[in-house]
Amino acid sequence: MSTYKDAGVDIDAGDRAVELMKASIAKASRPEVMGGIGGFAGLFDASALKSMKKPLLATSTDGVGTKTEIARAIGKYDTIGEDLVAMVVDDLVVCGAEPLFMTDYIAVGKVIPERIAEIVSGIARGCEKAGTALIGGETAEHPGLLADDEFDVAGAATGVVDADLQLGAHLVQKGDVLIAMPSSGFHANGFSLVRHIIKTAKLSLDAHVSEYGKTSGEVFLTPTEIYALDCLALIRSMQGKLRGFSHITGGGIAENTARVIPEHLSAIYDRSTWSIPVEMEYLSKVGGVPQADMERTWNCGIGMSAIVSPDSADLALRSLAARGMKAWVAGVVEVREPSQARSTLEGTYRAR
């Protein structure tokens, strides 16, 4: 006789994981959510969208990448979910969309209820920070494909923006100002390079690094900053003077900003307006990473950029400061020369 449990899938463990995560999920809700978890689909009351002239639904999906391997190596799983939420919802706000709800997918080699609950607690906490409802998810046990302690996480979110308020390259003009918002560290990008350096330089995740003031593991697992509510607040305060945002993820500052700059213009960042985060400076030195490669792999200290009209830059800075976001003017939009990229970094970084 063979059972599903003999094949490596423990349904009872999955049920226990659901029970353990219920309290966390309850905190990541919105009034529009209909019903609770456990159904075949999550329900969201969309009647509020009737007040919009032309509501556009926006969707985004992403994962955390190989940062999950750092969490697995350390045995700490309660922060990786925040990374997932940040990667998904902060892509939505770039076009001006408010993230409404999110679903997650967790694949594991073996369901360990407490571990699943830890991962979901981070997802729920991230959704709470983003004002987004966590309305469903799936945990899949993949024995034979993943080792017992291996896992991966992914998610998708849906948002909405009124067509008249959609942000993007069509609004960007010559003279517009780039407002930079600081990253919280490596975020969830470029960890294949991070892990390569850890391996080749024989770095210990448990060792205290004087340059960091903490262990490497603590630094690498710092959750990705979630900018959604800051960006939405900025949209409301700017009265049409906000052109758009750039979420700085894989590809770095220049490549991500280029995605929201029209063909005839170029966004010029002034490196002297900020310093490279110490953890990136240290790791690039230890790993012998060329500056150009570092700038195309990590965020180098900027997690989100806002593009605003020149006469509203001070308003943008004050609005963000009121929310505790220490933003700064990092550059300007200029007419693009034929040989120039749509976004570049110029000058040298400010010395600490």
Side-chain angles (χ1 to χ4, degrees), residues 141-266:
E141 198 166 24
H142 291 170
L145 296 181
L146 297 171
D148 286 356
D149 64 342
E150 289 182 336
F151 74 101
D152 195 18
V153 294
T158 297
V160 65
V161 59
D162 207 329
D164 291 342
L165 301 177
Q166 183 183 357
L167 304 176
H170 62 290
L171 298 177
V172 178
Q173 301 175 26
K174 173 189 174 183
D176 284 345
V177 174
L178 304 170
I179 302 293
M181 301 178 219
S183 68
S184 57
F186 287 96
H187 287 186
N189 306 110
F191 268 84
S192 291
L193 177 58
V194 169
R195 290 170 51 244
H196 175 74
I197 296 171
I198 290 172
K199 181 179 180 180
T200 56
K202 296 180 172 56
L203 300 179
S204 169
L205 293 174
D206 297 324
H208 185 278
V209 180
S210 59
E211 284 84 353
Y212 300 157
K214 56 182 72 173
T215 68
S216 291
E218 289 175 307
V219 168
F220 297 146
L221 280 189
T222 299
T224 302
E225 185 75 23
I226 297 174
Y227 302 94
L229 292 184
D230 297 305
C231 292
L232 293 173
L234 197 58
I235 291 170
R236 289 190 294 270
S237 68
M238 293 297 286
Q239 302 175 352
K241 298 296 184 72
L242 178 64
R243 316 299 196 200
F245 296 102
S246 176
H247 186 200
I248 311 303
T249 55
I253 297 168
E255 290 188 16
N256 281 287
T257 304
R259 296 166 66 181
V260 293
I261 301 296
E263 281 285 346
H264 68 288
L265 297 175
S266 181

Side-chain angles (χ1 to χ4, degrees), residues 17-226:
V18 171
E19 288 300 315
L20 289 174
M21 67 178 72
K22 280 184 177 180
S24 296
I25 294 174
K27 299 176 182 178
S29 188
R30 290 173 54 123
E32 302 94 335
V33 175
M34 309 294 291
I37 62 171
F40 285 94
L43 298 175
F44 190 91
D45 181 2
S47 60
L49 307 188
K50 294 178 181 178
S51 63
M52 296 183 175
K53 294 180 181 179
K54 187 178 180 181
L56 302 178
L57 292 180
T59 184
S60 178
T61 185
D62 210 336
V64 179
T66 60
K67 188 171 182 176
T68 56
E69 280 296 288
I70 303 295
R72 184 177 72 89
I74 296 174
K76 181 175 173 57
Y77 304 94
D78 62 344
T79 62
I80 207 77
E82 289 190 49
D83 293 286
L84 176 64
V85 175
M87 290 296 101
V88 175
V89 301
D90 285 342
D91 276 357
L92 291 178
V93 296
V94 165
C95 68
E98 176 187 2
L100 300 174
F101 56 84
M102 182 170 179
T103 57
D104 65 69
Y105 178 84
I106 305 172
V108 298
K110 179 181 177 61
V111 170
I112 300 174
E114 293 76 14
R115 183 177 299 170
I116 298 298
E118 283 187 65
I119 295 171
V120 173
S121 72
I123 298 173
R125 187 166 55 251
C127 283
E128 187 177 6
K129 288 182 177 181
T132 305
L134 182 59
I135 65 170
E138 170 73 6
T139 298
E141 198 166 24
H142 291 170
L145 296 181
L146 297 171
D148 286 356
D149 64 342
E150 289 182 336
F151 74 101
D152 195 18
V153 294
T158 297
V160 65
V161 59
D162 207 329
D164 291 342
L165 301 177
Q166 183 183 357
L167 304 176
H170 62 290
L171 298 177
V172 178
Q173 301 175 26
K174 173 189 174 183
D176 284 345
V177 174
L178 304 170
I179 302 293
M181 301 178 219
S183 68
S184 57
F186 287 96
H187 287 186
N189 306 110
F191 268 84
S192 291
L193 177 58
V194 169
R195 290 170 51 244
H196 175 74
I197 296 171
I198 290 172
K199 181 179 180 180
T200 56
K202 296 180 172 56
L203 300 179
S204 169
L205 293 174
D206 297 324
H208 185 278
V209 180
S210 59
E211 284 84 353
Y212 300 157
K214 56 182 72 173
T215 68
S216 291
E218 289 175 307
V219 168
F220 297 146
L221 280 189
T222 299
T224 302
E225 185 75 23
I226 297 174

Side-chain angles (χ1 to χ4, degrees), residues 297-322:
T297 306
W298 302 325
N299 60 59
C300 292
I302 298 177
M304 181 76 77
S305 288
I307 307 170
V308 306
S309 64
D311 61 345
S312 62
D314 287 343
L315 173 61
L317 293 173
R318 290 197 305 271
S319 297
L320 290 169

